[in-house]
Amino acid sequence: MFAQNQPAYYDRIETNFYSTFYQANGMHPFWHTSNQFGILTKAKSSSWVNGFSVHSKELFRITPGISFSAGVHGVGRISNGANSLHFQEFYGAFNYAGFRLSGGRFHHPTEILEPSLSTGSMMISNNAVPVNRFMLSTNGYLDIPFTNGIFQFHATYSDGVLEENRHVSHARLHHKSLHLKTNVLMFEIMTGFIHNVQWGGTDPERGRLPMGFSDYIRIVTGQRADENSGATEFEVNNRLGNTIASYDGSMIVHLGNGNQILAYRQIYLEDTHSLALRSYMDGLFGLGFRNINTGNIIDAILVEHVNTIRQDSFSDAPKGRGNYYNHYVYQTGWSHFGSAIGNPLLTFDPSIGRFSNNMVLAWHTAFRGYLHERVSYTVKATYSRNYGVCRDQIIFGSCIITDQFPPDDNLSLLPRNELRKDQYSFLVEGTYMHPTLPNYRFNVSLGYDNGALLGNRLGIMIGMSVSDFHR
């Protein structure tokens, strides 16, 4: 519904009025707030959002090989006590020979092949307000020398700072990724590793957490904390900071005439056991089809499955012991300004400042296309089974079961089906392009939720966007 990152040069003014009709808790529907970069909150009743953005792919050239680009996206929101006036994006970037050095607040380059249809990456999705940071990255995939384009690579490396109003204020966020691509016949095959760490910051009880240069080297290389650094015993015995990582793989099969088959898989990782694939089924699966020549009745269709149940549990331990996206030091977890940084199906509860639901089985399908040359549409349908967090199933005993802490002889658990909350979420969205004013787009979106997790919600969003108005 809202403006996304655009290629090349563009200016955009976007105004939306969002009104929700509701039953029960009266919150905005799931797909109206999820994967919108935190533009809309989970506020009740209605919202009015105005946005203005200007981006330049090449603001000026410093030398024939070095250029500077910049962008700004301002958002004003009036929404039942959740008012905001902020920069969604505000950045500058130097570009040289396929590499880019960016600074500020900007959208994260995603590894998901169809981000507009997906539930979102398990790592950094389009769900939360972007983090302030510096990033060195490649502009897409670059050829590996002497391979004649058969082998390519894509890499990112960044460091940023999270918001002040969280349990550990101004926690640092380190991110890096490396993907390799093989181009053979009709296949593009991508494999990679993504590594994120929350670290440093100021704890309300312990004060300044370890964030010297030696601590930085430890979080970059995934080492345990120095026992003299003031870190917790758990971080000394395991790893410093809160690690969020994944093995990532995807494939594009080119069928000709612009038709493509898409497949991808993210295996979610949080600790040493994860690296050995103890929970190889945890993560994101995706399979889809698209035609890059847009204008068809169906341009793209995607089916996804999300599974976060096992969480490195032993066979005799309660499921969910990894407590995904939560952390006992960084208690606000994998969130930014009240929204999940990763996949939004794992539910963050701003009222308690933690993820209240991270054991999820979900099936999702989405498709988009054109009903007419001036009328495009998107449809999403999501079904999830939600089991809360590990401690919700404990009658007697503990979720923390390791070689050092074996399960209690009297370990007693609720049957998982007693925790299960089924949820259905739908979105139908349409955009009309004016025949004589092609830069004007009129949008309408209907969202609906039904289930035990989010309750019943019905909302309609009506808006208009104007792009490239200076032309």
Side-chain angles (χ1 to χ4, degrees):
M1 187 73 182
F2 297 106
Q4 307 293 315
N5 261 343
Q6 302 287 330
Y9 303 89
Y10 77 96
D11 302 282
R12 178 179 292 273
I13 296 177
E14 183 174 76
T15 302
N16 294 291
F17 176 71
Y18 179 62
S19 180
T20 304
F21 306 94
Y22 60 87
Q23 300 173 0
N25 56 24
M27 309 289 275
H28 291 330
F30 177 80
W31 281 120
H32 277 170
T33 59
S34 299
N35 291 340
Q36 299 289 350
F37 298 103
I39 290 177
L40 272 180
T41 66
K42 299 173 183 178
K44 296 182 179 181
S45 189
S46 61
S47 298
W48 176 275
V49 177
N50 285 277
F52 175 77
S53 58
V54 180
H55 297 252
S56 173
K57 186 178 180 181
E58 186 178 293
L59 192 61
F60 58 84
R61 285 184 176 270
I62 300 172
T63 69
I66 302 176
S67 64
F68 181 79
S69 57
V72 60
H73 180 184
V75 173
R77 181 182 67 234
I78 300 174
S79 181
N80 193 32
N83 301 331
S84 179
L85 181 63
H86 67 274
F87 286 114
Q88 190 70 18
E89 295 182 274
F90 193 100
Y91 66 90
F94 293 95
N95 304 279
Y96 173 73
F99 292 88
R100 182 179 179 91
L101 177 62
S102 309
R105 178 176 286 180
F106 49 92
H107 295 166
H108 186 84
T110 182
E111 67 282 354
I112 298 296
L113 297 178
E114 272 295 333
S116 66
L117 297 181
S118 172
T119 58
S121 170
M122 297 296 296
M123 299 292 95
I124 299 177
S125 69
N126 296 341
N127 192 55
V129 175
V131 175
N132 290 311
R133 61 199 162 145
F134 289 97
M135 173 179 283
L136 178 63
S137 64
T138 60
N139 280 323
Y141 280 88
L142 302 182
D143 290 349
I144 295 177
F146 312 112
T147 66
N148 198 29
I150 295 175
F151 299 106
Q152 299 175 306
F153 76 98
H154 173 58
T156 60
Y157 189 101
S158 76
D159 285 287
V161 182
L162 299 171
E163 77 273 26
E164 178 181 6
N165 188 23
R166 57 191 294 123
H167 180 75
V168 175
S169 64
H170 296 130
R172 274 43 177 175
L173 176 59
H174 171 73
H175 162 86
K176 58 181 173 290
S177 69
L178 176 63
H179 286 78
L180 302 177
K181 182 198 280 191
T182 303
N183 300 296
V184 178
L185 301 175
M186 58 195 296
F187 301 95
E188 295 180 53
I189 302 171
M190 289 76 74
T191 57
F193 181 74
I194 304 171
H195 182 226
N196 305 280
V197 186
Q198 288 175 314
W199 69 291
T202 303
D203 185 277
E205 296 179 358
R206 297 169 53 215
R208 187 179 186 273
L209 299 180
M211 49 183 177
F213 181 72
S214 62
D215 301 308
Y216 178 72
I217 297 300
R218 289 175 183 273
I219 65 103
V220 169
T221 55
Q223 299 181 55
R224 64 184 61 186
D226 186 332
E227 60 183 8
N228 298 316
S229 67
T232 63
E233 182 180 356
F234 182 84
E235 292 173 294
V236 172
N237 293 329
N238 292 273
R239 297 177 190 272
L240 179 61
N242 178 26
T243 297
I244 305 290
S246 75
Y247 294 130
D248 187 63
S250 58
M251 180 173 64
I252 301 175
V253 183
H254 297 268
L255 303 178
N257 298 320
N259 295 310
Q260 300 176 347
I261 293 176
L262 315 174
Y264 51 90
R265 173 79 171 96
Q266 282 188 330
I267 301 176
Y268 186 82
L269 313 171
E270 266 206 10
D271 56 26
T272 304
H273 300 300
S274 299
L275 292 172
L277 297 178
R278 175 184 287 177
S279 299
Y280 65 92
M281 292 299 292
D282 283 5
L284 175 69
F285 304 76
L287 182 65
F289 167 86
R290 72 182 172 196
N291 191 311
I292 60 175
N293 303 315
T294 62
N296 307 289
I297 291 294
I298 296 180
D299 278 340
I301 185 167
L302 182 68
V303 177
E304 283 188 338
H305 175 56
V306 177
N307 182 351
T308 61
I309 296 295
R310 183 171 180 183
Q311 301 193 19
D312 295 334
S313 296
F314 295 95
S315 58
D316 57 349
K319 295 294 187 288
R321 63 167 288 276
N323 207 10
Y324 289 171
Y325 286 4
N326 280 320
H327 194 263
Y328 80 107
V329 174
Y330 297 91
Q331 294 183 20
T332 319
W334 195 233
S335 71
H336 191 224
F337 284 109
S339 297
I341 296 175
N343 192 293
L345 289 173
L346 280 69
T347 311
F348 182 76
D349 186 347
S351 67
I352 62 173
R354 294 183 67 79
F355 283 84
S356 58
N357 177 58
N358 59 23
M359 290 194 293
V360 178
L361 279 174
W363 292 263
H364 168 81
T365 186
F367 52 96
R368 69 166 187 268
Y370 281 78
L371 300 176
H372 183 273
E373 63 180 357
R374 294 192 295 271
V375 180
S376 61
Y377 73 92
T378 299
V379 175
K380 297 181 181 180
T382 310
Y383 165 64
S384 62
R385 298 175 183 172
N386 304 275
Y387 300 94
V389 295
C390 181
R391 67 175 178 269
D392 293 336
Q393 63 193 304
I394 302 294
I395 298 174
F396 184 86
S398 172
C399 287
I400 307 302
I401 297 176
T402 65
D403 296 333
Q404 295 78 27
F405 300 97
D408 193 284
D409 291 338
N410 297 319
L411 177 67
S412 180
L413 306 175
L414 284 171
R416 194 146 45 94
N417 61 3
E418 292 188 18
L419 301 173
R420 174 174 157 181
K421 295 181 179 180
D422 288 12
Q423 185 65 43
Y424 301 84
S425 294
F426 304 93
L427 178 77
V428 179
E429 182 177 281
T431 300
Y432 172 73
M433 182 188 301
H434 196 279
T436 59
L437 299 171
N439 295 345
Y440 285 71
R441 287 174 170 80
F442 301 91
N443 312 298
V444 61
S445 176
L446 180 69
Y448 176 66
D449 297 332
N450 178 269
L453 181 71
L454 303 178
N456 299 328
R457 306 175 182 179
L458 176 65
I460 185 169
M461 179 186 293
I462 300 173
M464 180 184 75
S465 66
V466 185
S467 60
D468 295 332
F469 55 89
H470 63 298
R471 301 176 184 177

